[in-house]
Amino acid sequence: MDAIRLRGARKLEGTIRVSGAKNAALPILCATLLSDGESLLRNVPGLQDIETTAALLGVLGRDSTVSIPEVRVHPATRPPNPEAPYDLVRKMRASVLVLGPLVARYGRAKVSLPGGCAIGARPVDQHLRGLEALGARIQVEHGFVVAEAPRLRGAEVVFDIQTVTGTENLMMAAALAKGRTTLVNCAREPEVEELGRVLNKMGARVEGAGTSTIHIQGADELEPFDHAIIADRIEAGTFMAAVGAAGGNVLLEHAPLDDLEPVVVKLRKAGLTIDREGDHVRVTRLGVLRPCDVTTAPHPGFPTDMQAQLMALLCVASGRGVVTETIFENRFMHVPELIRMGARIETRNNTAIIEGVPRLSGASVMATDLRASASLVIAGLVADGETTVRRVYHLDRGYEAIEKKLGGAGADIERIHLEGEPP
Ligand code: EPU
């Protein structure tokens, strides 16, 4: 099994290129199912989740060629198989994003229920209720959701909570529904806005993506598309937190500064200098690292996907920081591992109180989910001695060649194979 080995206590200096956004690429790949023609996605990150989605499209009857940074989804040449099996869905919860496109395009979808995951229960009730409002008959049987509708009809859907993939699933379904759909209390994440741009390229009329109310005029047929994916705000934010923790001066190429506002506000408070340089962003931390308080919230609040990385930074700030997680009920799995590295963290329910220490100490630690793994890598950058982050497959789901990117900016980091452990 692969692991990441780091030797800490070096500043980061140099340039890091930010890849395309995973959480924009995944729904857009699923949107290719809405048309039978050949679609081309550019600026796609080289990630395990992209491979898993391409494999899923293949099972559903759509072949693709993944040649990073491009993915070409070929025209439909065989009859569709609108059934997403448990084996793929359990690897990646975002597989549920095929539900809307399949039922809209083929009148039937059978998608394994994703179940819970390390960060929480993560139900999909909002996706299902929304599709029902559009006229789908939904049944849950033998661990699968079966959705059927000869043709979806536009309707008003009011979400009880803001859900990113729920909003995206409904947008894709509504794009092929008869008539107009209004989605209320939508997630406002930049990735939702990006999907709206793609659906408009395909011929649907989407207004308001990126705000809490989205109107979609469905089309009878949709066109294939050619689209370059936006840059990954969470990857960029992760590198900002890494520079904050380790100190130094790094140019983040193509970092999407506007999408990162809530993160940048906190990092500046912590003592980082973050400035736009043309299409890029320069991040420096030369002086003392100060603590700050953060509460996660749906966009434009502080993203839950940056919570673990910010906590790693607070572990070495000069004072007490407080982190409150409000989106997922179990997203503090990195805390015991950070404590093993010498961090002083106390948790009470969904709040963590972090007393900064001057330096962490290298240890062998275990990644539990994607963003938790990134926080352990950041901790390793400011730890004395050697840190080994195990279960790197979590990192590979969401960070393209993180060891090469950080290594290129001066970090002492490498990917190793641990003998005696399964591959
Ligand atoms: N929820 C429900 N019912 C639903 C849907 C969601 O109760 O039908 C709850 C969830 O359990 C959670 C909250 O609503 O407590 C918000 O979940 P959301 O649906 O917004 O999350 P998601 O769409 O499953 C996406 C990202 C996650 C990111 C969250 C929150 C993708 C592919 N995934 O997940 O990304 O954490 O939004 O911003 O876009 C990651 O990249 O590491 C990651 C986990």
Side-chain angles (χ1 to χ4, degrees), residues 22-24 26-27 93-94 97 119-128 161-166 168 187 189 191 233-234 298 303-305 326-329 331 369-371:
K22 167 180 86 83
N23 288 348
L26 299 181
R93 290 185 47 86
L97 283 166
I119 61 179
R122 299 180 80 180
V124 291
D125 56 301
Q126 299 298 310
H127 303 229
L128 304 188
I161 46 161
Q162 289 176 27
T163 156
V164 175
T165 50
E168 292 166 345
E189 270 66 3
E191 295 77 18
R233 64 193 167 104
I234 303 300
T304 173
D305 288 346
T326 71
I327 306 293
F328 292 112
E329 63 275 21
R331 215 175 193 183
D369 72 76
L370 170 55
R371 308 301 169 188

Side-chain angles (χ1 to χ4, degrees), residues 208-421:
T211 73
S212 58
T213 303
I214 304 179
H215 300 285
I216 301 146
Q217 181 66 44
D220 291 336
E221 275 184 24
L222 292 172
E223 301 290 324
F225 58 88
D226 174 338
H227 188 77
I229 309 285
I230 50 169
D232 196 316
R233 64 193 167 104
I234 303 300
E235 191 203 22
T238 300
F239 291 131
M240 288 179 180
V243 176
N249 178 341
V250 169
L251 185 72
L252 292 178
E253 286 183 346
H254 309 298
L257 194 57
D258 295 337
D259 294 343
L260 273 162
E261 186 63 21
V263 173
V264 166
V265 165
K266 294 296 176 183
L267 291 177
R268 284 188 176 136
K269 237 183 167 158
L272 279 74
T273 306
I274 300 173
D275 292 316
R276 202 186 294 275
E277 276 191 17
D279 280 349
H280 313 309
V281 173
R282 183 163 299 282
V283 184
T284 45
R285 205 272 290 166
L286 303 172
V288 68
L289 189 59
R290 293 186 295 268
C292 60
D293 295 353
V294 159
T295 299
T296 63
H299 192 78
F302 188 91
T304 173
D305 288 346
M306 275 299 300
Q307 177 258 108
Q309 302 90 310
L310 190 93
M311 194 186 295
L313 171 142
L314 292 176
C315 288
V316 289
S318 60
R320 170 185 295 188
V322 180
V323 171
T324 304
E325 169 61 52
T326 71
I327 306 293
F328 292 112
E329 63 275 21
N330 192 23
R331 215 175 193 183
F332 279 161
M333 310 262 283
H334 40 287
V335 169
E337 299 299 294
L338 290 170
I339 289 174
R340 294 187 58 245
M341 296 180 70
R344 286 180 54 201
I345 307 173
E346 239 181 72
T347 52
R348 286 184 209 139
N349 303 319
N350 63 337
T351 297
I353 299 156
I354 304 115
E355 294 287 349
V357 295
R359 186 159 293 292
L360 297 173
S361 81
S364 189
V365 286
M366 191 87 93
T368 46
D369 72 76
L370 170 55
R371 308 301 169 188
S373 321
S375 81
L376 297 176
V377 169
I378 293 172
L381 293 173
V382 277
D384 279 334
E386 197 171 284
T387 294
T388 307
V389 182
R390 289 160 186 258
R391 297 202 180 161
V392 159
Y393 54 83
H394 290 297
L395 262 184
D396 292 338
R397 290 190 49 198
Y399 290 93
E400 182 174 17
I402 195 168
E403 73 280 13
K404 294 204 179 85
K405 291 191 181 191
L406 286 172
D412 186 347
I413 178 170
E414 62 183 336
R415 180 178 291 255
I416 55 167
H417 183 70
L418 291 178
E419 292 304 327
E421 300 211 10

